[in-house]
Amino acid sequence: IYSKAPVSGLAVRAVLSSPVDGKIVTETVIRNQGHDERGYYIEGYIAAPGGEYNLIMYQLGLPVTHIRNIDNYFDMLAYTDMVDERELSYIPAISSRLDSNKIMSEPEHLMVGRYEGLTVENSLQVDTLRTAGGDHFTAASIAKSYYLQLRINGVEWVKTAAAVLSGMAGSSRLCENEGMVQTDPVNLFFSMRHGDRTKRIGQKGSSAVLYTTFTTFGKIPDMTSELMLNFEFTKSDGTTQTESFDITEAFKTPQAIENQWLILDKEINITPPEGSGSSGAMGPGVEGWEEKDAELYM
């Protein structure tokens, strides 16, 4: 398996299975890395009797994305766990109206390669397993990352912002190129960040772009995708503000289809907390935000 750069600590499970019932015949973990004129690669050895096989390879050791049903080629499924108590504490108003068992962590990019109809010849010598076309194997992520952006007015009154997006797939079949399970809808949790602030002329507060990049197994086509944003004010009483709106159509735009950009024509107006003063002077710092440099698309 080739990559553009060396990947420290990468380990890949490689499995040869029956093309009839998917049962595992033999498997190994490969982790030896090298370099040649084509780039960096990872390789290893597997012992297999002659026959016809389906091969599947997937990355091991990711902290959030897990694999279940590991003993059958056709049943292997990638999934994530429910969000933990710390993450739920950022969305009290949202979690109270949703089934918290269906608020899931976003997956990492899981690299998977699958090749069906491979032939292994009976031989007493070491051979190199290749694709049916005689080439090396490759792997690609089964998840997609979307860039999400909207505008927020009154950003200085916000301590944290977290979001939950409905209509997302909670799992993906490893044996399929587009393997998201459409019968497993979940609510996906992720945090939001803000960009540079600009003062709003003649109005209280400052305006900023609110943005994030989130990863998902896929948007379920026939389901509504409601974006629920929960803002926590910088107040001792923990006042929050929740906004919800439908972004289903945003997934159908050329920007979303071609570039995975969700540029929303939406402005969120934050209500100033009591006692914030006419200038909104809760202080220029926004302690709970995660700062990150990124290109903003206006």
Side-chain angles (χ1 to χ4, degrees), residues 62 110 132 141 212 240-241 262 281:
L62 294 178
L110 174 69
S141 176
T212 194
T240 60
Q241 178 176 328
L262 301 171

Side-chain angles (χ1 to χ4, degrees), residues 14-67:
V15 172
L16 291 174
S17 65
S18 164
V20 178
D21 57 16
K23 291 183 178 179
I24 306 304
V25 176
T26 185
E27 64 177 280
T28 190
V29 174
I30 61 175
R31 62 177 78 242
N32 299 330
Q33 294 197 35
H35 178 266
D36 62 18
E37 69 279 359
R38 303 180 74 170
Y40 295 90
Y41 60 83
I42 182 171
E43 65 176 359
Y45 295 93
I46 188 169
E52 296 289 325
Y53 296 100
N54 289 343
L55 168 68
I56 195 162
M57 307 166 293
Y58 62 86
Q59 183 179 357
L60 295 173
L62 294 178
V64 177
T65 304
H66 312 298
I67 311 297

Side-chain angles (χ1 to χ4, degrees), residues 225-244:
S225 288
E226 184 184 12
L227 178 65
M228 290 157 274
L229 295 167
N230 197 83
F231 303 96
E232 180 184 348
F233 294 151
T234 49
K235 285 181 62 180
S236 60
D237 62 4
T239 302
T240 60
Q241 178 176 328
T242 301
E243 301 283 343
S244 299

Side-chain angles (χ1 to χ4, degrees), residues 255-275:
Q255 281 185 321
I257 295 170
E258 296 170 11
N259 302 311
Q260 284 80 59
W261 293 347
L262 301 171
I263 312 298
L264 306 182
D265 183 19
K266 178 73 176 178
E267 286 194 354
I268 301 295
N269 294 305
I270 298 299
T271 305
E274 273 185 46

